[in-house]
Amino acid sequence: MRSRALPCVKRFLNEGDHYLISTHINADGDAIGSILALARIIGLVGRSCRIVLHDREVDLKYRFLAGFDRIASYSPSDRLASSVILVDTPNVARIGDVARLIGEEARILNIDHHASNARFGEVNLVDEDACATSELIFGLAKALRLRIDAEMAAQLYTGVMFDTGRFRYSNLRRAFPVAAALLHLGADPAIIAEAVYSRKSYQSVKVLGQALASLEMHFRDRVALMTLPHRALRLAADLDGIVDYALSISGVSVAALLKEQRPNQFRVSLRSRGTFDVNDLARGFEGGGHPNASGCCIEGDAVRVKKVLLKAIRKRLR
Amino acid sequence: MRSRALPCVKRFLNEGDHYLISTHINADGDAIGSILALARIIGLVGRSCRIVLHDREVDLKYRFLAGFDRIASYSPSDRLASSVILVDTPNVARIGDVARLIGEEARILNIDHHASNARFGEVNLVDEDACATSELIFGLAKALRLRIDAEMAAQLYTGVMFDTGRFRYSNLRRAFPVAAALLHLGADPAIIAEAVYSRKSYQSVKVLGQALASLEMHFRDRVALMTLPHRALRLAADLDGIVDYALSISGVSVAALLKEQRPNQFRVSLRSRGTFDVNDLARGFEGGGHPNASGCCIEGDAVRVKKVLLKAIRKRLR
């Protein structure tokens, strides 16, 4: 790590005593890998910390990582913190309720790789070219000349693997060497991939099947829709990634998953490939997100919601 | 590459004039990446070659690779070859009909990473610790000091990515550095992963949905079965990997996909995790394969086939 922020980070870790560590709502593989490795680093430099997340329930598939049990959920009775480290979050609002624990005079260290990071910290270790926040934590551990054991290597490898979509997205130029280094330090990629990607619940597999079976194609197979009725949603724990199956069909540029959250109220997950802007589409229904991944809510029964959505898509299809 | 076989490989490539290149039946990502890169190498050392596979239809998802159009399917009228290079195949039988093109006096170069490789060549470049045959072809190109351009890098990256299950299986110790090197040489991991993993047909996604919806659990959720009726099979092009969804359920040790190939005749794909030996199970039905991945055929209607199979599984569950 050749970051100019490094001396400031070192000072930040020297001057504090007890740190509050947190990350964004719906903590994912990179967020969890990063906070656990960071907590380890805090211990290695002779300081103490607590980890508090907004999430009521932290994704249990990460419980194989050392230190997972240290993660606590926010409680209004938690005490205010004066030294705070936020990882993998572009702004303070994204940490949800945990923001209430940040005292007015609190000092914040901001470690992140989001391009949209708001540099909200007193010290900002932000590198948008990093493949994952875990890469930055890895760099920090090395810069501090700390011993990275197999447990920390596994935490960091989990983050790198997750945020590259299992070595599929961009920034692999840095991800492969980091992954190789973490493997040599003791991370077991087979065990980690198995834990993160191959332990689904019976119900989530059934519901995936139900969604795929509902698949329908429109506009010369450029648009793929899937629908999950309310009774299916009540069973499913994990709907993440279902919409990507529709987008993976050859020739599809827009994919939507219609989830009936309440009877006659659909939460619509939208994905696109290329230049079709689903953020713009979602905004038309008071939703939003990113140009290739967005969401909104539409009221009505499934027939009406599909009709309304398809009409809006058709207007934007070239 | 520090193989003792290397001088012999060099001589083999010097002494021939025109080479026949082939690989195993049902050529996969590593097989196709390897033969295409090898054909390129043959050209770079000033020799010519033809690529002939047993497969009637080569998996079109690999057509993004340069040279894909050079791959021909076996025809009985093809002429006999005197210089042959077989890649990624443990023995000559696995190349199917192409074996008929190998003349009695033919010289064979054998490049492979299967532990079971039979060393059938005059020259054997076999390294079972390689993550993919593509890794060996990469080493060969480097040892011959050939220029590896972006097209060859993409061919080789495809093989490494495929044979490591997208960086999930063993031997990543060598895979990550090779992947990093190929990326620097111009392979685009995002485009390659997209082509290999994210271009499914509408029908194959529908049939996956049908299979998942049929999922049933037995023996305290340790056994997961899925069934595809004959009418579904007629639609589906690609059933690969469907059974893995059943195995991915938390706690499952044996998974089976029952495919009704003909009315009342089921082809059963078996997968297991850990020590449950599905090869032994399949042998009881005159099938076979590997301890964790095997297959067999069972006659009867779906109800009978499930009953027979579950009975055989129960005997072997500890």
Side-chain angles (χ1 to χ4, degrees):
Chain A
M1 178 178 294
R2 291 189 207 109
S3 166
R4 280 176 303 168
L6 193 62
C8 306
V9 174
K10 277 187 182 169
R11 207 176 316 126
F12 191 92
L13 295 181
N14 267 329
E15 290 172 358
D17 188 29
H18 183 79
Y19 294 86
L20 168 68
I21 297 177
S22 192
T23 185
H24 61 78
I25 291 174
N26 289 326
D28 58 19
D30 187 28
I32 291 173
S34 294
I35 53 177
L36 294 179
L38 180 64
R40 182 73 75 97
I41 288 172
I42 299 289
L44 288 173
V45 299
R47 300 292 185 274
S48 69
C49 65
R50 58 184 161 137
I51 303 172
V52 183
L53 304 195
H54 172 92
D55 304 347
R56 293 278 111 224
E57 289 172 353
V58 181
D59 196 335
L60 286 178
K61 67 184 170 201
Y62 298 108
R63 70 182 153 201
F64 72 99
L65 291 173
F68 185 83
D69 295 340
R70 295 185 59 185
I71 301 176
S73 294
Y74 167 80
S75 150
S77 62
D78 284 347
R79 68 187 186 284
L80 284 184
S82 55
S83 296
V84 178
I85 311 179
L86 300 186
V87 299
D88 200 40
T89 188
N91 54 59
V92 178
R94 281 283 289 146
I95 67 171
D97 289 341
V98 180
R100 303 177 193 197
L101 303 183
I102 304 180
E104 262 187 42
E105 307 279 293
R107 305 176 59 191
I108 301 181
L109 166 59
N110 163 22
I111 307 181
D112 189 29
H113 75 129
H114 288 92
S116 59
N117 187 284
R119 269 70 174 177
F120 52 81
E122 176 184 315
V123 179
N124 301 291
L125 179 58
V126 177
D127 180 354
E128 63 186 70
D129 293 328
C131 66
T133 297
S134 292
E135 182 193 320
L136 298 175
I137 307 283
F138 176 55
L140 177 61
K142 284 203 301 181
L144 296 172
R145 295 167 189 268
L146 300 174
R147 185 175 161 265
I148 299 172
D149 63 6
E151 290 185 347
M152 199 198 292
Q155 292 157 345
L156 296 168
Y157 183 91
T158 299
V160 169
M161 178 190 73
F162 184 89
D163 253 26
T164 58
R166 229 170 79 208
F167 306 102
R168 192 164 39 126
Y169 305 149
S170 51
N171 267 325
L172 296 178
R173 214 169 269 277
R174 284 162 67 167
F176 283 132
V178 171
L182 292 170
L183 189 150
H184 278 281
L185 289 166
D188 186 323
I191 287 175
I192 295 170
E194 160 94 12
V196 176
Y197 297 109
S198 300
R199 289 193 201 151
K200 303 177 193 308
S201 73
Y202 166 69
Q203 284 303 348
S204 68
V205 173
K206 279 290 258 199
V207 168
L208 171 61
Q210 217 175 330
L212 298 183
S214 79
L215 183 66
E216 48 184 80
M217 309 295 283
H218 296 275
F219 306 132
R220 296 185 176 180
D221 299 346
R222 291 174 62 193
V223 177
L225 297 191
M226 301 189 299
T227 316
L228 281 173
H230 186 55
R231 58 180 187 284
L233 290 191
R234 281 182 310 173
L235 300 172
D238 182 13
L239 302 172
D240 277 6
I242 289 186
V243 65
D244 294 324
Y245 283 85
L247 192 67
S248 76
I249 297 167
S250 211
V252 166
S253 20
V254 188
L257 172 63
L258 285 61
K259 295 166 284 189
E260 193 177 23
Q261 284 194 307
R262 278 191 286 268
N264 286 322
Q265 194 195 60
F266 284 83
R267 171 85 196 155
V268 183
S269 298
L270 296 161
R271 296 289 182 278
S272 68
R273 201 196 290 281
T275 56
F276 191 103
D277 187 344
V278 286
N279 187 27
D280 180 55
L281 177 70
R283 274 207 214 102
F285 299 99
E286 290 167 26
H290 304 281
N292 291 123
S294 215
C296 60
C297 285
I298 307 180
E299 308 250 325
D301 61 20
V303 174
R304 191 192 102 83
V305 171
K306 277 186 210 171
K307 202 174 155 186
V308 166
L309 185 66
L310 285 170
K311 197 176 159 192
I313 291 173
R314 186 172 49 200
K315 270 202 285 183
R316 288 167 175 83
L317 271 181
R318 273 180 289 189
Chain B
M1 178 178 293
R2 294 192 203 106
S3 166
R4 279 177 304 166
L6 193 63
C8 306
V9 174
K10 278 187 181 169
R11 208 177 313 127
F12 191 92
L13 296 181
N14 269 327
E15 290 173 358
D17 188 29
H18 183 81
Y19 294 85
L20 169 68
I21 297 178
S22 193
T23 186
H24 61 78
I25 292 175
N26 289 326
D28 57 20
D30 187 28
I32 292 173
S34 293
I35 54 177
L36 294 179
L38 180 63
R40 182 73 76 99
I41 289 173
I42 300 289
L44 288 173
V45 299
R47 300 292 187 273
S48 69
C49 66
R50 57 184 163 138
I51 304 172
V52 184
L53 303 195
H54 173 92
D55 305 347
R56 294 277 113 223
E57 290 172 353
V58 181
D59 196 335
L60 286 177
K61 68 184 170 200
Y62 297 110
R63 70 184 154 197
F64 73 100
L65 291 174
F68 185 82
D69 295 340
R70 296 185 58 184
I71 300 176
S73 293
Y74 167 79
S75 151
S77 62
D78 284 348
R79 67 186 186 284
L80 284 184
S82 55
S83 296
V84 178
I85 310 178
L86 300 186
V87 300
D88 201 40
T89 187
N91 54 58
V92 178
R94 281 283 289 147
I95 66 171
D97 289 341
V98 180
R100 302 179 195 194
L101 303 182
I102 304 180
E104 263 187 41
E105 307 279 294
R107 305 175 60 190
I108 301 180
L109 167 58
N110 163 21
I111 307 181
D112 188 30
H113 75 129
H114 287 93
S116 59
N117 187 283
R119 269 70 174 176
F120 52 80
E122 177 183 314
V123 179
N124 300 292
L125 180 56
V126 177
D127 180 353
E128 63 186 71
D129 293 328
C131 66
T133 297
S134 292
E135 182 194 320
L136 298 174
I137 307 283
F138 176 56
L140 178 61
K142 284 203 302 180
L144 295 172
R145 295 166 190 269
L146 300 174
R147 185 176 159 264
I148 298 172
D149 64 5
E151 290 186 346
M152 200 198 292
Q155 292 158 344
L156 296 169
Y157 183 91
T158 300
V160 169
M161 178 190 72
F162 184 89
D163 253 27
T164 57
R166 231 170 81 206
F167 306 102
R168 192 165 37 127
Y169 305 148
S170 51
N171 267 323
L172 296 179
R173 214 167 269 277
R174 283 162 67 165
F176 282 133
V178 171
L182 292 170
L183 189 149
H184 278 282
L185 290 166
D188 186 322
I191 287 177
I192 295 170
E194 160 92 13
V196 176
Y197 297 109
S198 301
R199 289 194 201 150
K200 303 178 194 307
S201 73
Y202 167 69
Q203 284 304 347
S204 69
V205 172
K206 279 290 261 198
V207 169
L208 170 62
Q210 220 176 326
L212 298 184
S214 79
L215 183 66
E216 48 184 79
M217 310 295 283
H218 296 275
F219 306 132
R220 297 186 177 181
D221 300 346
R222 290 175 63 193
V223 178
L225 297 191
M226 300 189 298
T227 316
L228 281 173
H230 185 55
R231 59 180 185 283
L233 289 190
R234 281 182 309 174
L235 301 173
D238 182 13
L239 302 172
D240 277 6
I242 289 185
V243 66
D244 294 324
Y245 283 85
L247 192 67
S248 75
I249 297 167
S250 212
V252 165
S253 19
V254 189
L257 173 63
L258 285 60
K259 296 167 282 188
E260 193 177 21
Q261 284 193 307
R262 278 191 285 271
N264 287 322
Q265 193 194 60
F266 283 83
R267 171 85 196 155
V268 183
S269 300
L270 297 161
R271 295 288 182 279
S272 68
R273 203 196 289 280
T275 56
F276 191 102
D277 187 344
V278 286
N279 187 27
D280 179 56
L281 178 68
R283 275 206 213 102
F285 299 99
E286 289 167 28
H290 304 280
N292 291 123
S294 216
C296 60
C297 284
I298 307 180
E299 308 250 327
D301 61 19
V303 174
R304 192 192 103 82
V305 171
K306 277 187 211 171
K307 200 173 156 187
V308 167
L309 185 66
L310 286 171
K311 197 176 159 192
I313 291 173
R314 186 171 49 200
K315 270 202 286 183
R316 287 168 176 84
L317 273 180
R318 271 182 290 191

